Amino acid sequence: MALVHRVQCGRAQVVWRQFGQGSPLVLVHGGHGSWMHWIRNIEALSREHTLWVPDMPGFGESGTLDGEPHAADRFERLIATLAAGIESLLGPTSRFGLAGFSFGGLVAAHLAARQPNVERLALLGSAGHGGPWRQAVEMVNWRKDDGGQIRAAIRHNLSALMLHDQASIDAC
């Protein structure tokens, strides 16, 4: 069972989930996703760690970042917002581990460079961000008002980017 925390940073409210007990570990999801990228890891990791799992701003249940969506400083604002959430929830001097998946790996690397209290860093599947893009199938924008369209777009993106066998994609 998760404890849900809502941290306000500017106009963006970031939703964080807390699981388990032990040394703090922050898990950052990939793009086109939410905290649920980590769902199959939570039970095992929460046995030894207090997990702090956000929906990054603009994803899942979190609000969007302040400012222009395509501004050059958007990534820095994302990092600053997550850093403020970590400081608010863990305290300014708490040591913690940090793991990021895919785009979350890029985010985690920048967080680790900014946060002097990161003890461990794990980057999972984050190679290629910032370099030439060789994606064969275009992603579909999943930010829609209709739930059926959202599910169809996410199903397409999972199939195109992450899963070879479409039968592996469940109904959620």
Side-chain angles (χ1 to χ4, degrees):
M1 173 75 91
L3 290 174
V4 177
H5 303 270
R6 299 177 188 284
V7 177
Q8 197 71 35
C9 186
R11 290 189 321 228
Q13 183 181 78
V14 179
V15 176
W16 292 75
R17 284 174 176 75
Q18 176 187 355
F19 300 88
Q21 292 184 342
S23 59
L25 175 59
V26 175
L27 303 175
V28 185
H29 67 78
H32 302 286
S34 70
W35 72 275
M36 291 189 66
H37 274 171
W38 297 101
I39 196 77
R40 291 186 178 178
N41 306 101
I42 288 173
E43 184 179 345
L45 291 173
S46 66
R47 290 182 194 130
E48 296 184 27
H49 300 282
T50 300
L51 301 178
W52 296 94
V53 192
D55 278 336
M56 287 192 283
F59 297 89
E61 295 179 39
S62 291
T64 57
L65 286 172
D66 289 340
E68 174 62 37
H70 301 290
D73 70 338
R74 181 174 176 78
F75 187 73
E76 177 52 37
R77 287 184 281 124
L78 172 70
I79 300 302
T81 300
L82 291 173
I86 291 168
E87 185 171 320
S88 172
L89 294 166
L90 277 70
T93 60
S94 291
R95 312 274 305 152
F96 63 96
L98 181 60
F101 166 70
S102 189
F103 174 67
L106 178 67
V107 171
H110 282 263
L111 276 168
R114 177 186 180 126
Q115 302 289 108
N117 43 349
V118 173
E119 287 186 315
R120 294 184 178 110
L121 175 64
L123 306 177
L124 308 161
S126 57
H129 287 288
W133 190 263
R134 295 187 308 241
Q135 187 170 336
V137 178
E138 288 293 318
M139 295 289 102
V140 173
N141 183 355
W142 54 269
R143 291 179 178 93
K144 304 189 183 289
D145 293 328
D146 178 82
Q149 289 179 334
I150 292 169
R151 283 187 294 281
I154 290 172
R155 182 177 197 78
H156 168 84
N157 292 344
L158 282 170
S159 176
L161 189 60
M162 299 176 76
L163 300 171
H164 171 71
D165 181 5
Q166 287 199 12
S168 298
I169 304 172
D170 62 27
C172 294

